[in-house]
Amino acid sequence: MAAVGGAEEEDVGGKKRKAHGMLKLYYGITEEGKAGERHLDPTDIDGLHFNPELYLTKLRKESSLSLLMDVEADMVRQIRSLDSEMQTLVYENYNKFISATDTIRKMKNDFKRMEDEMDGLAANMAVITEFSARISSTLQERHQHITKLSGVHTLLRKLQFLFELPSRLKKCIEMGAYAQAVSYHSKARSVLHQYQHMPSFQGIQTDCQAIMAGLADTLRQRFRDPASSPKELSECIELLLSLDEPPHLLCDEFLAHGHGRLASHLSELQESGDILEFVDRGCGGFISDACLLAASYQGLFCKESGSTSEMAVAKLTVFLEELSKGYFELVEKRLRQEKSLGDNSLLVRALDRFHRRLQAPSKLVPGCSFNRRGTEIVVRAAQERLAQYLQALKDFFQGCLTDVRQALAAPRVPGKETPALSDLLAGFSASVLNQIKTVLAAVHLFTAKDVAFSDKPYFKGEFCSQGVREGLIVAFIKSVCQTARQFCECSGEKGTSTPPALLLLLSRFCLDYETSTISYILTLTDEQFLGQDHSPVTPVSSLCALAQSSAQTLLNHYVKSQGLVVSQMLRKSVETRDWVTTIEPRNVRAVMKRVVEDITGVDVQVGLLYEEGVRKAHSSDSSKRTFSVYSNSRLQGRYAQSYTPRSPS
């Protein structure tokens, strides 16, 4: 049974054997470990020491007839499988085998041809070597003599060049070939200096020095000529440096020559025009020429690092700092003249162009403070513009108040309805709010993404929080409350008293600001100007408290002024009447009717702005009038669409 079980296990293992495993066994590729022990067994059909006779003997002894038939069937199946896999392998690699065969055949032919060529090359090299040896042996005796003669010839040519040098220099100077003359002198200068103790060379050196001194004077005159082009100036400087002229003197002369041209640009800027045109003229003239001068200067004097280069850079930095000071003063002066608030984009474009053009000289001469000073000018211009917009808002508010006072004081025209207080309040509030939005939109141009200086720390932080929010919006709200309170401080003299209706209207205006408008304006400002500054700001509750206090003060003053009018009327009616001789009154006196009518009018005015619903108020018995008070909900539609003031009960 054990033998039968072992045979069955072998049968199962054979069925599960993979194709690549069969090939490895077929070619005798064994694995280490357990496989080595199996291959020593002569009855192992997959081993290296397989003995067919022993294998068949073992099978006949240990297996039954049915098992022998199964083993035979399995063996036949494996043989067919191996044959099929081998045939597939041969078919798949047939083209590769053919290609490899052709390649090997071609390589044999190529290598044979290459061997023939190498043999020919070796023969040619042998012939060349033989001829070279013959030539060397033939010229060996004359080689030293020829070398000596060649050296003498070279020396004679140099001596001839030296003896002809003065005449050559004069001819070059006459032809205007100054660079060629300096090149000739530079080649011979070291030799003349080395042999200056010889009389003949000393005379040549003296003549050359005199000629080159005259050339240096000519170059200086040409350099100092205002009509010389930049290319001619650079050529003169290079030649003078080659003639060992002192670099510091040449630096000073070069900068002095450029000073006149840059100063002329500054004088042309005195003629102020449009702000954008002014900046374009300044950048296209002064800044561009300053960059060209700096680039030429650095190319001439700062080529190599050393003490000379450091000296030249220091002189250039001082020169540009001093000259740019006048340019920046002109720019600031011109910006202060820009008072028009109509189109703020023109000013922002001018500042953006001014800031962009300053980047080039800042990169060209890092020691100069062009970028820093330009940024400071832009910041001051933005601050000045915020102050101008604040004053413009204040003036606009005063103008709206003047219009309201004129509307209240205008005489009534028969047949024409006078504007109600609610209409005046709605128009007044909407005008002020729209003007605030217009100013915010204009100021927002300073922080636009396409503006170069908007990424500066000031415009990302302090400009948004302290400049726009606190310096413009909060300051205007405080100014509105302060202006409204000033109407309560009037002395009441003739011609200076405030209309009571204006006090009531301003009281309601401040109350609307306390309830909703202040929160809306500050929220709008914070959304448009997302600053990264963490400086403390005025809380909304503080401004709302200020507005509520102003509204209460105005309302108290309105009640006080109206009560004073009624009390004076009653007092005069009592004091002017002779109560001793008067008859017994039989109806209401006219003054009492007037008092009731005035109080009713006050009630109507207050109801129009502060109360809701419809009220019927009766005056005296002789004249009954009905006063309709429109619901406040109908008046809210006339306010700005962006906010809705809530009405206190």
Side-chain angles (χ1 to χ4, degrees):
M1 294 298 290
V4 174
E8 291 179 352
E9 291 179 359
E10 289 183 0
D11 185 26
V12 174
K15 291 181 179 180
K16 294 184 177 179
R17 186 179 298 112
K18 295 182 180 178
H20 68 275
M22 295 179 181
L23 290 174
K24 290 169 68 177
L25 295 174
Y26 178 79
Y27 287 106
I29 303 175
T30 60
E31 299 179 357
E32 297 180 357
K34 297 181 179 179
E37 298 178 356
R38 289 180 56 198
H39 293 166
L40 298 178
D41 187 4
T43 59
D44 185 7
I45 195 173
D46 296 327
L48 295 176
H49 304 278
F50 174 68
N51 191 334
E53 296 297 334
L54 294 177
Y55 178 72
L56 291 174
T57 302
K58 183 180 179 181
L59 280 179
R60 285 196 297 268
K61 289 181 179 181
E62 297 178 356
S63 304
S64 61
L65 179 60
S66 59
L67 182 58
L68 285 174
M69 294 178 66
D70 294 339
V71 170
E72 180 189 8
D74 181 64
M75 189 173 296
V76 171
R77 186 170 55 255
Q78 291 185 17
I79 291 172
R80 290 176 179 174
S81 176
L82 285 174
D83 290 340
S84 175
E85 290 177 359
M86 288 297 297
Q87 187 177 6
T88 303
L89 183 63
V90 171
Y91 286 162
E92 289 178 352
N93 294 277
Y94 178 75
N95 292 330
K96 297 181 182 179
F97 292 153
I98 298 301
S99 177
T101 304
D102 295 340
T103 303
I104 293 172
R105 186 182 301 110
K106 187 177 180 182
M107 287 177 62
K108 288 181 179 180
N109 297 331
D110 293 342
F111 276 114
K112 185 176 180 181
R113 191 183 307 112
M114 189 180 298
E115 288 177 358
D116 297 339
E117 292 176 356
M118 291 298 295
D119 293 339
L121 180 61
N124 293 334
M125 291 298 296
V127 174
I128 292 172
T129 303
E130 182 180 357
F131 276 107
S132 177
R134 291 179 183 178
I135 293 172
S136 298
S137 61
T138 303
L139 299 178
Q140 183 66 32
E141 298 177 357
R142 301 178 183 179
H143 178 71
Q144 296 180 354
H145 183 63
I146 293 174
T147 303
K148 185 177 181 180
L149 290 178
S150 177
V152 172
H153 180 263
T154 303
L155 180 60
L156 290 175
R157 288 182 61 184
K158 292 181 179 179
L159 291 175
Q160 183 183 5
F161 176 79
L162 290 176
F163 284 117
E164 294 177 355
L165 183 60
S167 60
R168 288 192 180 191
L169 293 178
K170 290 180 181 179
K171 187 176 181 180
C172 289
I173 293 175
E174 291 175 358
M175 295 174 59
Y178 301 136
Q180 188 66 33
V182 173
S183 176
Y184 286 157
H185 182 262
S186 299
K187 292 179 180 179
R189 181 167 49 188
S190 60
V191 178
L192 292 175
H193 181 73
Q194 184 178 358
Y195 297 101
Q196 63 181 348
H197 58 281
M198 297 182 179
S200 57
F201 287 99
Q202 186 178 7
I204 295 174
Q205 185 181 22
T206 303
D207 294 342
C208 290
Q209 287 178 349
I211 294 172
M212 299 311 293
L215 176 60
D217 294 336
T218 302
L219 291 174
R220 290 192 192 94
Q221 293 176 3
R222 188 178 179 185
F223 174 69
R224 293 166 183 167
D225 186 7
S228 298
S229 63
K231 184 178 180 180
E232 293 175 345
L233 294 177
S234 300
E235 183 181 357
C236 291
I237 290 294
E238 290 179 352
L239 296 178
L240 288 173
L241 288 173
S242 300
L243 294 175
D244 293 335
E245 289 290 322
H248 65 279
L249 296 179
L250 294 177
C251 290
D252 294 338
E253 291 187 10
F254 186 87
L255 294 177
H257 186 276
H259 184 276
R261 184 176 181 85
L262 294 177
S264 64
H265 286 300
L266 294 180
S267 61
E268 293 175 359
L269 285 177
Q270 300 288 347
E271 305 173 2
S272 61
D274 182 65
I275 182 63
L276 192 59
E277 180 185 357
F278 173 85
V279 171
D280 286 339
R281 289 171 57 188
C283 294
F286 178 82
I287 297 298
S288 297
D289 282 0
C291 291
L292 292 176
L293 183 142
S296 302
Y297 181 92
Q298 291 177 341
L300 293 172
F301 301 104
C302 305
K303 293 181 179 179
E304 300 178 357
S305 59
S307 58
T308 303
S309 177
E310 294 177 357
M311 177 272 300
V313 171
K315 285 181 175 292
L316 177 63
T317 303
V318 173
F319 170 78
L320 292 178
E321 287 285 351
E322 293 178 354
L323 202 58
S324 63
K325 183 178 180 181
Y327 171 67
F328 288 132
E329 289 177 354
L330 286 176
V331 172
E332 287 197 278
K333 180 180 178 182
R334 180 63 183 83
L335 289 174
R336 285 194 293 268
Q337 297 175 1
E338 196 67 18
K339 302 293 185 180
S340 176
L341 302 177
D343 187 9
N344 192 49
S345 62
L346 192 66
L347 175 64
V348 175
R349 286 169 54 198
L351 293 175
D352 178 52
R353 193 167 301 177
F354 167 74
H355 186 269
R356 288 179 186 272
R357 294 298 298 271
L358 290 181
Q359 305 303 314
S362 299
K363 294 179 180 178
L364 197 60
V365 187
C368 290
S369 57
F370 277 86
N371 196 8
R372 177 182 59 81
R373 296 173 67 179
T375 303
E376 292 176 354
I377 290 176
V378 172
V379 168
R380 284 195 289 269
Q383 293 173 345
E384 181 67 23
R385 183 47 62 107
L386 288 178
Q388 293 174 1
Y389 274 120
L390 175 60
Q391 186 60 42
L393 283 176
K394 293 180 180 179
D395 295 341
F396 182 82
F397 183 73
Q398 292 289 349
C400 290
L401 284 179
T402 302
D403 295 341
V404 171
R405 294 189 69 167
Q406 291 177 355
L408 293 175
R412 296 184 178 181
V413 179
K416 184 178 181 181
E417 184 179 358
T418 58
L421 284 180
S422 57
D423 296 335
L424 292 177
L425 175 62
F428 178 54
S429 301
S431 299
V432 174
L433 185 60
N434 290 333
Q435 188 65 17
I436 293 175
K437 291 181 179 180
T438 302
V439 169
L440 286 177
V443 174
H444 191 262
L445 295 175
F446 284 100
T447 59
K449 293 182 179 180
D450 57 343
V451 177
F453 55 79
S454 62
D455 60 345
K456 294 296 179 181
Y458 172 77
F459 288 96
K460 285 186 175 181
E462 186 178 351
F463 176 79
C464 298
S465 61
Q466 302 300 319
V468 178
R469 189 185 192 278
E470 296 296 315
L472 181 62
I473 301 302
V474 174
F476 174 67
I477 294 174
K478 291 181 178 179
S479 174
V480 168
C481 295
Q482 182 180 1
T483 302
R485 284 175 176 269
Q486 289 177 356
F487 286 102
C488 301
E489 300 173 358
C490 297
S491 58
E493 297 177 358
K494 186 177 181 180
T496 62
S497 60
T498 303
L502 181 61
L503 294 175
L504 189 63
L505 187 144
L506 286 177
S507 173
R508 180 63 197 188
F509 177 80
C510 292
L511 185 62
D512 289 342
Y513 263 60
E514 183 265 335
T515 54
S516 60
T517 309
I518 292 178
S519 300
Y520 169 75
I521 293 175
L522 292 181
T523 301
L524 181 65
T525 304
D526 293 338
E527 290 177 354
Q528 292 186 4
F529 298 89
L530 298 174
Q532 300 176 358
D533 187 30
H534 301 288
S535 302
V537 294
T538 305
V540 178
S541 58
S542 176
L543 295 176
C544 291
L546 179 62
Q548 197 275 338
S549 175
S550 301
Q552 187 65 45
T553 302
L554 288 166
L555 189 59
N556 293 341
H557 192 70
Y558 171 79
V559 173
K560 180 180 179 181
S561 61
Q562 293 294 80
L564 182 62
V565 171
V566 174
S567 63
Q568 288 180 351
M569 187 186 306
L570 292 174
R571 182 176 179 179
K572 288 181 180 179
S573 66
V574 173
E575 291 179 351
T576 56
R577 188 177 185 86
D578 186 5
W579 292 97
V580 177
T581 59
T582 186
I583 60 177
E584 181 180 354
R586 298 189 179 274
N587 54 11
V588 179
R589 292 188 299 138
V591 65
M592 298 307 299
K593 294 180 181 180
R594 178 67 183 275
V595 168
V596 172
E597 290 176 356
D598 288 351
I599 293 177
T600 304
V602 170
D603 185 36
V604 170
Q605 284 185 342
V606 174
L608 283 173
L609 297 180
Y610 277 92
E611 295 183 6
E612 297 180 354
V614 179
R615 164 184 306 194
K616 292 183 179 180
H618 304 279
S619 61
S620 61
D621 296 334
S622 60
S623 60
K624 296 183 180 181
R625 298 175 184 175
T626 302
F627 297 89
S628 300
V629 181
Y630 293 97
S631 173
N632 197 26
S633 60
R634 296 175 59 187
L635 297 178
Q636 292 176 1
R638 303 181 184 179
Y639 279 54
Q641 298 178 0
S642 53
Y643 77 102
T644 303
R646 54 185 176 86
S647 300
S649 59

